[in-house]
Amino acid sequence: MMGMNPRQMKKLMRQMGIKMEEMEGVKEVVIRLENKEIVLKDPAITIITAQGEKSYQIIPGSEEVRAIVNVSEEDIKLVMEQAGVDYEAARKALIEADGDLAEAILKLTEE
């Protein structure tokens, strides 16, 4: 297949029943693992359909790995009460503090 121009390649793929299309407007792709997330920013995604099966080829613009922090409802309520903030602010502060109650409360009360 060396030396084949793109037009010939597309024709051959069409004859083999393979369809390729670019996915537009994708901002990020998130891969969630048990204890972390891999975030692929501004990816180029190609959807390849062959024999009725779809495959996604993802080429990331940049990659970010985030640890997943699980916070309990009890911890969120405690931070809400102590810092005098709403649910989302308390949850966000706990996640940013890796679940550390004291750090989350201090951060919220210093603002």
Side-chain angles (χ1 to χ4, degrees):
M1 293 208 192
M2 289 290 263
M4 187 177 290
N5 71 39
R7 191 174 186 190
Q8 289 174 320
M9 180 66 88
K10 284 183 181 180
K11 183 178 179 183
L12 180 61
M13 289 177 65
R14 224 181 6 257
Q15 289 173 345
M16 293 171 37
I18 300 171
K19 179 182 171 191
M20 293 178 68
E21 62 183 292
E22 297 295 320
M23 187 179 270
E24 300 293 330
V26 179
K27 302 248 188 255
E28 67 182 22
V29 173
V30 179
I31 301 170
R32 286 194 178 89
L33 304 170
E34 190 172 322
N35 61 347
K36 65 181 175 181
E37 292 180 339
I38 300 170
V39 181
L40 308 173
K41 303 269 186 185
D42 300 315
I45 300 177
T46 304
I47 302 170
I48 303 164
T49 306
Q51 298 177 352
E53 296 289 325
K54 285 186 179 181
S55 296
Y56 295 84
Q57 177 183 11
I58 303 168
I59 301 170
S62 64
E63 180 179 325
E64 177 183 322
V65 177
R66 301 180 197 157
I68 294 177
V69 179
N70 293 316
V71 293
S72 72
E73 291 295 315
E74 295 159 356
D75 288 350
I76 294 171
K77 287 178 184 175
L78 179 63
V79 171
M80 286 172 62
E81 291 170 8
Q82 295 297 314
V85 296
D86 64 14
Y87 182 90
E88 281 306 314
R91 183 176 175 280
K92 182 180 178 199
L94 274 167
I95 290 171
E96 289 174 359
D98 291 327
D100 185 320
L101 289 166
E103 184 179 332
I105 293 168
L106 281 172
K107 180 179 187 237
L108 289 167
T109 54
E110 288 176 351
E111 293 179 351

